[in-house]
Amino acid sequence: MIELKSSGVDAQVQAMSWNEWKTAGGELRSHFWLYLVGNLRADLENAPPFVRAVQDPFGTLASSKSEDVIRKRTVQLRVREFAAADQLTLEMRHEC
């Protein structure tokens, strides 16, 4: 199972829906992967795009849940605090 989240920058916090988080912590959590893609904005100098892969984010991250006014529950992931993650820094190619 794979959940993909992306950001134009190297975000410090990424939200997941409550259903996504429940799935990540459910029976199949050992098969759950969270892919974080960042630095996607073309105007960011010295900030190459990257892909960060985290297996079992539920088990490898201390997180906090919050409820907003419309009762939409999300989980704020401190993306720098995963105990284990593989990261691939991407290269930009400009072809004419």
Side-chain angles (χ1 to χ4, degrees):
M1 302 185 73
I2 296 173
E3 181 64 37
L4 174 66
K5 298 294 183 182
S6 65
S7 176
V9 296
D10 189 358
Q12 297 294 315
V13 175
Q14 178 67 55
M16 288 179 74
S17 74
W18 187 248
N19 284 337
E20 292 165 346
W21 190 242
K22 285 192 317 187
T23 302
E27 294 176 10
L28 299 174
R29 84 182 238 194
S30 64
H31 302 285
F32 192 95
W33 284 83
L34 173 63
Y35 280 77
L36 301 162
V37 181
N39 288 344
L40 297 177
R41 288 181 23 191
D43 63 336
L44 295 176
E45 293 185 27
N46 300 318
F50 66 86
V51 176
R52 185 176 296 134
V54 182
Q55 184 179 18
D56 185 15
F58 187 89
T60 61
L61 179 69
S63 62
S64 60
K65 69 178 182 177
S66 65
E67 294 186 37
D68 57 23
V69 176
I70 59 170
R71 295 288 190 219
K72 175 184 166 188
R73 291 194 266 183
T74 62
V75 176
Q76 299 296 317
L77 305 174
R78 293 185 185 93
V79 298
R80 299 264 191 264
E81 296 180 18
F82 285 104
D86 296 323
Q87 180 165 320
L88 173 63
T89 301
L90 305 177
E91 192 177 302
M92 298 288 290
R93 289 190 192 176
H94 299 283
E95 296 184 21
C96 298

